[in-house]
Amino acid sequence: MILIRDVRLLESNGNWDILVEGNRIKRIGRNLLEKESIDKRDVEIIDGKNMAAIPGLVNTHTHIPMTIFRGVADDIPLMEWLNNYIWKMESKLNEELVYIGTLLGTVEMIKSGTTTFNDMYFHLDGIIKGVLESGIRAVLSYGMIDLFDEEKREKEIKNCEKIVKKIIKMDNPRIKPAIGPHAPYTCSKELLTFSHEIAREYNIPVHIHMNETLNEIKIVKEKTGMRPFEYLNSIEFFEGVKVIAAHCVHLSDREIDIIEKKSVVVSHNPISNLKLGSGIAPIPKLLEKNILITLGTDGCGSNNNLNIFEEIKISSLIHKGISLDPTSIPGEVSFKFATLNGGKALNLEVGVLKEGYLADIVLVDLRKPYLIPVENLKSHLVYAFNGVVDTVLIDGNVVLRDGKMTNIDEYKIYEMAEKAYSKLVEDVDIKRDN
Amino acid sequence: MILIRDVRLLESNGNWDILVEGNRIKRIGRNLLEKESIDKRDVEIIDGKNMAAIPGLVNTHTHIPMTIFRGVADDIPLMEWLNNYIWKMESKLNEELVYIGTLLGTVEMIKSGTTTFNDMYFHLDGIIKGVLESGIRAVLSYGMIDLFDEEKREKEIKNCEKIVKKIIKMDNPRIKPAIGPHAPYTCSKELLTFSHEIAREYNIPVHIHMNETLNEIKIVKEKTGMRPFEYLNSIEFFEGVKVIAAHCVHLSDREIDIIEKKSVVVSHNPISNLKLGSGIAPIPKLLEKNILITLGTDGCGSNNNLNIFEEIKISSLIHKGISLDPTSIPGEVSFKFATLNGGKALNLEVGVLKEGYLADIVLVDLRKPYLIPVENLKSHLVYAFNGVVDTVLIDGNVVLRDGKMTNIDEYKIYEMAEKAYSKLVEDVDIKRDN
């Protein structure tokens, strides 16, 4: 058992105790040591004085191994970025490099308060290994792209089935599978249909890129005569499965109707969408329809970090500036995007501190200049915080304490990542910076 | 003397030494201990291994004591924010409270790499005291508002003259005066003319709010028949003085011409402008005319922090998203806004690491997950960094070491700020959060 003592909660006065048993929150109350008659020898006590406890954050769209591409190319057109850098480097990846990139990403996420991420990538054995070692919680999908080629499709389907079965067989509470058809402009109708069927069969979510750029929408329209959401709806892609649609930057009113009626979850990725010049998702319009909005960082190639607190702040800021309305997307709402809504999106009992829920808990040290005066804490977390957290529990285990990783040697990971990056840029002959 | 050894610089390969003598950078080179035949007993050596040295950042528009208003009200319309919160609390401020707010702000700025700030506020004796104690560099102006009332004007002019003379007499290299007429919609023509004359007489910059909201532009137009920059130009406000114009959100082409021809410096405050729903400044258009762009946080009431790294990132991101052009405002450019351009704007030899320049130097610890791989460092500082710096020198003095303030007890300041805030919200009867 772990007892977090005398900690502040966001919505209540004074100091509280949180008792963790196994991987769940057993009790939240005052003076639990006395009230629950706990023998001190049975519990690890974490002093929560001058700390706030918040639910671990949920990142609903990322490609975690891309941490090792951080900063390799910015401020250039999308196709140049993909052709000359990202795709070149991705073609050289292997399980070992993906494992190293995953480790680096998990350290970054945990240290900025993210306890669950929803990922789409390849070489999943490397990702699984990294997730197991670091202690983070993940929903993993193998990203499928067939480019309308039958041979490729067969390969992708086999890979997907293998990974889903492997993750289910592992039966680890920290790793769940999802199905990852890349996007309607890169996947054939057959591959999309397969994705829908297998997701339904295993009752697991689908994770897909939707309407990120104007160009991809044009491609789908030329091919199918429909906009992407209309097309997917026409092949019954949304029937009976939970779909997490990343980006959703450019949407017609009819598409918004489909998202609403089919309960599609939106993973809003504001920083990546800004940085790649994709555009700005119409979140206020989606909120009017009570569509579930969550937040994602996207991969480190286009962000260039995995700090969800930045997404929270920007998602609240940007529509105020565009609409000239300071009441647009209050901090209260954007904070939910990254917590409660993330848990709902992934069908996990996370994103809220509640008895019976999974013990994914983050402690924030309040003795920081940017969090003072210590009041209006939710506002501070949205508008003033830099994301540096003190202590993190995931699935009932302490994975970060006093800002230091407990399971893994972070400095060794940094070294491994440096070497991996050096090898990669040599292999693809990318100009070194210095 | 201080010698920073084996540190990385942003634009050069390998490790460098930086030798500081008095308040200036004396030499930048390799193996300076040997080359300059320095006796080790004469120097304090700072190990720069695994660190990058960057120039201290410059914040060209803030109201530093407003740190103690942090988070008191968000997501509400501007006039409600001003009437029910900010103006109420400001009316209760005194020199002591302003001193405490200043101390809190300087700790926050130093810990996020800002070494110089350009401020406009009142109770300046409190600000001066805080700046002297913390070791930061500041350009201070007393904010003048006469609301077209002669009696008020006389008072403001007296206060302004008193402060300018006081600062000049102090002859402290870390504190310079500026003239702070609040804005064209709150200052009479006479007050604006006085501001221009005194700035010219003492050869010091003018710091003014310009074109922040559509409403204030309407007010000036109704009063004068001209838009704000046209009006100021008509009274020769820009002749022979350096004017730092904060905000500049809504600008006509004719106003942009005036800014260009009169070499007005723009202090771009993207986060405050978004948060208050003011709008988004047309920075790409201003860059086409080679107008000097700098960055400001504005006060903590509307941001809600003083972390200039956030302004750097957002200033590069936002126009990419709006124009759907990922090449808009590259990181290289936005980094200059906060460094080189800030120094130029304030006529200070800061914002660049250069022999002979003032020794305002920031060391960033590179062993952080979000800065790995350690390459493309400028990209990391713009797009991946959270602003937490390790060591700061200002005017040749070490004010932050290993993330801890050296001159002042930061925890004592946090306590003082808590008490000040409690008293303030009681006095004005603002609803407490918890």
Side-chain angles (χ1 to χ4, degrees):
Chain A
M1 285 196 294
I2 294 172
L3 184 69
I4 303 169
R5 294 194 78 182
D6 298 325
V7 79
R8 291 189 59 145
L9 298 177
L10 293 187
E11 272 112 9
S12 315
N13 276 321
N15 290 329
W16 293 81
D17 291 355
I18 303 172
L19 183 65
V20 172
E21 191 174 50
N23 68 347
R24 304 236 165 216
I25 297 172
K26 193 184 180 192
R27 200 77 71 225
I28 300 177
R30 299 194 199 257
N31 305 315
L32 290 186
L33 207 54
E34 298 75 28
K35 271 195 204 149
E36 301 276 317
S37 334
I38 298 164
D39 189 330
K40 271 197 176 181
R41 285 165 300 187
D42 296 339
V43 289
E44 178 187 345
I45 288 177
I46 294 175
D47 184 6
K49 220 181 141 210
N50 295 313
M51 301 268 174
I54 63 170
L57 305 184
V58 181
N59 183 343
T60 59
H61 181 63
T62 187
H63 312 289
I64 191 173
M66 293 178 88
T67 46
I68 47 172
F69 301 166
R70 192 191 319 271
V72 80
D74 308 298
D75 311 316
I76 56 176
L78 181 67
M79 289 320 294
E80 193 184 328
W81 180 71
L82 286 171
N83 281 319
N84 296 353
Y85 297 92
I86 299 305
W87 287 340
K88 265 191 185 175
M89 293 175 79
E90 286 192 336
S91 74
K92 300 287 178 182
L93 287 178
N94 56 34
E95 191 183 316
E96 174 70 8
L97 293 172
V98 161
Y99 161 67
I100 294 168
T102 299
L103 279 178
L104 180 60
T106 57
V107 173
E108 189 185 348
M109 285 197 277
I110 288 169
K111 290 186 137 195
S112 55
T114 293
T115 54
T116 302
F117 70 102
N118 183 38
D119 199 86
M120 182 197 293
Y121 215 62
F122 43 100
H123 297 300
L124 258 73
D125 290 325
I127 300 181
I128 290 170
K129 199 175 156 202
V131 168
L132 286 175
E133 285 180 21
S134 71
I136 204 164
R137 189 184 301 285
V139 177
L140 303 179
S141 56
Y142 169 70
M144 294 184 283
I145 297 183
D146 68 359
L147 300 174
F148 312 92
D149 174 292
E150 203 182 321
E151 206 178 313
K152 281 201 183 100
R153 176 161 61 252
E154 292 310 317
K155 234 176 102 188
E156 295 295 62
I157 287 177
K158 263 191 201 144
N159 269 328
C160 171
E161 284 175 329
K162 204 180 91 187
I163 283 295
V164 168
K165 284 178 186 157
K166 176 176 172 167
I167 293 176
I168 290 174
K169 202 175 157 199
M170 282 169 58
D171 193 25
N172 186 311
R174 286 198 288 107
I175 305 188
K176 301 284 175 198
I179 306 301
H182 175 264
Y185 71 101
T186 51
C187 296
S188 65
K189 191 181 153 185
E190 292 78 8
L191 188 55
L192 292 167
T193 303
F194 158 77
S195 301
H196 173 257
E197 282 168 0
I198 189 172
R200 220 170 156 162
E201 184 188 340
Y202 288 100
N203 189 28
I204 56 183
V206 173
H207 181 189
I208 186 168
H209 296 86
M210 293 296 292
N211 299 41
E212 181 176 2
T213 66
L214 288 172
N215 192 48
E216 71 186 60
I217 295 171
K218 203 173 136 227
I219 292 170
V220 173
K221 240 179 145 178
E222 278 167 9
K223 223 177 168 82
T224 69
M226 291 173 270
R227 290 179 61 94
F229 276 98
E230 296 169 342
Y231 167 54
L232 290 194
N233 198 37
S234 77
I235 62 168
E236 306 202 320
F237 188 79
F238 303 115
E239 301 306 318
V241 298
K242 172 162 281 185
V243 175
I244 297 156
H247 300 300
C248 298
V249 176
H250 304 280
L251 298 169
S252 71
D253 286 346
R254 282 187 58 184
E255 288 184 293
I256 293 176
D257 280 344
I258 293 168
I259 293 172
E260 180 194 5
K261 293 213 176 79
K262 301 300 174 182
S263 303
V264 174
V265 176
V266 171
S267 175
H268 177 36
N269 294 203
I271 293 179
S272 171
N273 297 154
L274 290 171
K275 182 149 186 287
L276 294 176
S278 305
I280 296 161
I283 303 302
K285 256 178 133 173
L286 303 179
L287 287 174
E288 275 172 31
K289 305 259 184 184
N290 289 315
I291 289 164
L292 195 74
I293 311 292
T294 65
L295 290 176
T297 53
D298 208 354
C300 266
S302 60
N303 187 315
N304 299 347
N305 66 36
L306 299 171
N307 184 349
I308 282 281
F309 283 100
E310 287 191 1
E311 310 289 335
I312 294 175
K313 181 165 184 175
I314 286 194
S315 68
S316 253
L317 286 180
I318 196 155
H319 288 284
K320 296 185 204 302
I322 288 173
S323 62
L324 306 189
D325 175 7
T327 71
S328 179
I329 313 189
E332 182 88 25
V333 172
S334 61
F335 191 75
K336 254 189 212 159
F337 292 170
T339 52
L340 192 67
N341 293 9
K344 279 188 196 169
L346 300 175
N347 291 328
L348 294 170
E349 289 173 313
V350 302
V352 56
L353 297 184
K354 199 168 143 176
E355 292 177 1
Y357 264 52
L358 290 164
D360 291 7
I361 305 168
V362 170
L363 302 188
V364 175
D365 185 348
L366 298 170
R367 288 160 308 174
K368 300 288 176 186
Y370 43 80
L371 299 178
I372 292 188
V374 177
E375 194 158 302
N376 304 299
L377 284 183
K378 200 174 277 179
S379 161
H380 290 356
L381 292 176
V382 172
Y383 293 119
F385 189 42
N386 58 18
V388 179
V389 307
D390 184 86
T391 295
V392 175
L393 277 75
I394 301 177
D395 211 47
N397 296 308
V398 180
V399 295
L400 189 80
R401 192 79 183 95
D402 295 327
K404 287 175 192 66
M405 298 294 294
T406 60
N407 293 336
I408 48 183
D409 179 347
E410 57 197 277
Y411 296 104
K412 199 177 142 201
I413 292 169
Y414 303 159
E415 263 176 46
M416 286 158 69
E418 291 296 342
K419 276 187 201 151
Y421 174 79
S422 286
K423 175 135 186 18
L424 212 51
V425 290
E426 261 166 44
D427 282 357
V428 295
D429 197 22
I430 282 176
K431 207 181 127 273
R432 305 296 296 264
D433 172 50
N434 49 31
Chain B
M1 285 194 295
I2 295 172
L3 183 69
I4 303 169
R5 295 194 79 180
D6 297 325
V7 79
R8 289 189 61 145
L9 298 177
L10 293 187
E11 271 113 8
S12 315
N13 276 321
N15 291 328
W16 294 81
D17 291 353
I18 304 172
L19 183 65
V20 173
E21 192 174 48
N23 68 346
R24 305 239 164 213
I25 297 172
K26 192 183 181 194
R27 200 77 71 225
I28 300 177
R30 299 194 198 257
N31 305 313
L32 291 186
L33 207 52
E34 297 75 27
K35 271 195 205 150
E36 301 277 316
S37 334
I38 298 163
D39 189 330
K40 270 197 176 181
R41 285 165 300 187
D42 295 339
V43 290
E44 178 188 344
I45 289 177
I46 293 175
D47 184 6
K49 221 181 143 212
N50 295 313
M51 301 267 175
I54 62 170
L57 304 184
V58 181
N59 183 343
T60 59
H61 181 63
T62 188
H63 312 288
I64 192 172
M66 294 181 87
T67 45
I68 48 172
F69 301 166
R70 193 192 318 272
V72 80
D74 307 299
D75 310 317
I76 57 176
L78 181 67
M79 288 320 294
E80 193 184 328
W81 180 72
L82 286 171
N83 280 319
N84 297 353
Y85 297 92
I86 300 305
W87 287 341
K88 266 191 186 174
M89 293 176 80
E90 285 191 338
S91 73
K92 300 288 178 182
L93 287 178
N94 56 36
E95 191 183 314
E96 174 69 9
L97 293 171
V98 161
Y99 161 67
I100 294 168
T102 299
L103 279 179
L104 180 59
T106 57
V107 173
E108 189 185 349
M109 284 196 278
I110 288 169
K111 289 186 137 194
S112 54
T114 293
T115 53
T116 301
F117 70 103
N118 183 38
D119 200 85
M120 183 197 294
Y121 215 62
F122 43 100
H123 296 302
L124 257 73
D125 290 327
I127 300 181
I128 291 170
K129 200 174 155 202
V131 168
L132 287 175
E133 285 181 20
S134 71
I136 204 163
R137 189 184 301 285
V139 177
L140 303 179
S141 56
Y142 169 70
M144 294 184 283
I145 296 183
D146 69 359
L147 300 173
F148 312 93
D149 175 292
E150 202 182 321
E151 206 177 313
K152 280 201 182 98
R153 177 161 60 251
E154 291 311 316
K155 235 176 102 188
E156 295 294 61
I157 287 177
K158 262 191 203 145
N159 268 330
C160 172
E161 284 175 330
K162 205 179 90 187
I163 283 295
V164 168
K165 283 179 188 157
K166 177 176 172 165
I167 293 175
I168 290 174
K169 201 174 159 200
M170 282 169 58
D171 193 26
N172 186 311
R174 287 198 289 105
I175 306 188
K176 300 283 175 200
I179 306 301
H182 176 264
Y185 70 102
T186 52
C187 296
S188 66
K189 190 181 153 185
E190 291 79 7
L191 189 54
L192 293 167
T193 303
F194 159 77
S195 302
H196 173 255
E197 283 168 0
I198 189 173
R200 222 171 153 159
E201 184 188 341
Y202 288 100
N203 190 27
I204 56 183
V206 173
H207 181 188
I208 186 167
H209 296 86
M210 292 297 292
N211 299 39
E212 181 176 2
T213 67
L214 288 173
N215 192 50
E216 70 186 59
I217 294 171
K218 205 174 134 223
I219 292 170
V220 173
K221 241 179 144 177
E222 278 167 9
K223 221 176 170 83
T224 69
M226 291 174 269
R227 290 179 62 94
F229 276 98
E230 295 169 346
Y231 166 53
L232 290 194
N233 197 37
S234 78
I235 62 170
E236 306 202 318
F237 188 79
F238 304 115
E239 300 308 316
V241 298
K242 172 161 281 185
V243 175
I244 297 156
H247 302 300
C248 298
V249 176
H250 304 279
L251 297 169
S252 71
D253 286 348
R254 281 187 58 184
E255 287 183 293
I256 294 176
D257 279 345
I258 293 168
I259 293 173
E260 181 194 4
K261 293 213 176 80
K262 301 300 173 183
S263 303
V264 174
V265 176
V266 171
S267 174
H268 178 36
N269 294 205
I271 293 179
S272 172
N273 298 154
L274 290 170
K275 183 148 185 287
L276 294 176
S278 305
I280 296 161
I283 303 302
K285 256 178 131 172
L286 303 179
L287 286 174
E288 276 171 31
K289 305 259 186 184
N290 289 315
I291 289 164
L292 195 74
I293 310 292
T294 65
L295 290 175
T297 53
D298 208 355
C300 266
S302 60
N303 188 314
N304 300 346
N305 65 37
L306 299 172
N307 184 349
I308 282 280
F309 282 101
E310 287 190 2
E311 309 289 334
I312 295 175
K313 180 165 183 175
I314 287 194
S315 68
S316 252
L317 286 180
I318 196 154
H319 288 284
K320 296 184 204 304
I322 289 173
S323 62
L324 307 189
D325 175 8
T327 70
S328 180
I329 312 189
E332 182 88 26
V333 172
S334 61
F335 190 75
K336 254 189 213 161
F337 291 169
T339 51
L340 191 66
N341 293 9
K344 279 188 197 170
L346 300 175
N347 292 329
L348 294 170
E349 289 173 313
V350 302
V352 57
L353 297 184
K354 199 168 142 177
E355 292 176 1
Y357 263 51
L358 290 164
D360 292 6
I361 306 169
V362 170
L363 302 188
V364 175
D365 185 348
L366 299 170
R367 288 161 309 173
K368 300 289 174 185
Y370 44 79
L371 299 178
I372 293 190
V374 177
E375 195 157 303
N376 304 299
L377 284 183
K378 199 173 277 178
S379 161
H380 291 355
L381 293 175
V382 172
Y383 292 119
F385 190 42
N386 59 17
V388 180
V389 307
D390 184 87
T391 295
V392 175
L393 276 75
I394 302 177
D395 210 47
N397 296 309
V398 180
V399 295
L400 189 81
R401 191 80 182 95
D402 295 327
K404 286 173 193 70
M405 297 293 296
T406 59
N407 293 337
I408 48 183
D409 179 349
E410 58 197 276
Y411 297 104
K412 200 177 142 201
I413 292 169
Y414 303 159
E415 263 175 47
M416 286 158 68
E418 291 297 343
K419 278 187 200 150
Y421 174 78
S422 286
K423 174 127 187 27
L424 212 51
V425 289
E426 262 166 44
D427 282 358
V428 294
D429 197 23
I430 281 175
K431 207 181 126 273
R432 306 295 296 263
D433 173 50
N434 47 33

